[in-house]
Amino acid sequence: MPIFSVKTTARQERTVADMLAEKEMPEIQAVIAPDQLTSYVMVEATDGSVFARILDEIPHARGVIQGSEGPAESPFSEVEHFLSPTPDVEGIAEGDIVELIAGPFKGEKARVQRIDEGKDQVTVELYEATVPIPVTVRGDQIRVLDSDER
């Protein structure tokens, strides 16, 4: 099934995606608004003619990317990487200095001891603890500090 790119107003991608999904038209199969993609919503539809009828009714929708013969279809390979989530521990390495941004140790600095990508967890050792205690936290509960603080 073809995938089409709908141009939107900046920071209104979710609004447009929600409105397209609410249309409940049989021609529209799926709608995604990836965070990494600014000002565009990807729509899986049977054909591009559906957009001529509905985009005028949706605020912040600016139009469909056009090709030489009407709405341009995007190959699945261009959209595929938006569909698989990236683990929160990606970009974190053992020995990194991190700050805990959630949980009981919020605001504490720590050094990464071990990374479990399968569970999306990181084991850290708190800096200012008198006794080194390993603490395991989810990957989304830490923030890697700037390289000058490493």
Side-chain angles (χ1 to χ4, degrees):
M1 185 143 323
I3 298 170
F4 300 93
S5 301
V6 176
K7 179 87 169 120
T8 68
T9 306
R11 296 186 304 277
Q12 297 297 322
E13 301 87 2
R14 295 264 180 200
T15 306
V16 171
D18 290 343
M19 290 179 153
L20 282 168
E22 288 172 4
K23 287 289 182 189
E24 295 182 9
M25 298 184 74
E27 297 93 344
I28 296 177
Q29 301 299 312
V31 180
I32 61 169
D35 292 333
Q36 311 93 300
L37 194 59
T38 307
S39 300
Y40 289 95
V41 172
M42 307 306 287
V43 181
E44 182 180 24
T46 54
D47 61 56
S49 64
V50 67
F51 299 110
R53 298 191 312 257
I54 63 171
L55 287 185
D56 290 338
E57 303 169 10
I58 298 176
H60 306 294
R62 299 291 172 236
V64 180
I65 302 301
Q66 296 290 319
S68 60
E69 299 176 16
E73 296 179 15
S74 298
F76 182 72
S77 59
E78 286 184 12
V79 181
E80 188 174 15
H81 66 281
F82 294 126
L83 302 177
S84 56
T86 57
D88 291 322
V89 296
E90 190 172 287
I92 301 172
E94 289 183 15
D96 279 356
I97 306 303
V98 297
E99 178 183 4
L100 286 98
I101 58 172
F105 300 107
K106 182 177 179 177
E108 293 286 330
K109 291 183 181 177
R111 180 180 303 277
V112 175
Q113 298 298 315
R114 187 174 58 243
I115 300 168
D116 186 347
E117 289 186 21
K119 293 182 180 178
D120 209 19
Q121 294 179 338
V122 178
T123 302
V124 298
E125 191 174 282
L126 300 176
Y127 258 175
E128 302 183 6
T130 46
V131 177
I133 302 171
V135 178
T136 302
V137 296
R138 291 192 328 255
D140 64 346
Q141 293 183 338
I142 62 173
R143 173 175 60 93
V144 177
L145 297 177
D146 296 333
S147 58
D148 58 335
E149 293 182 54
R150 289 186 189 185

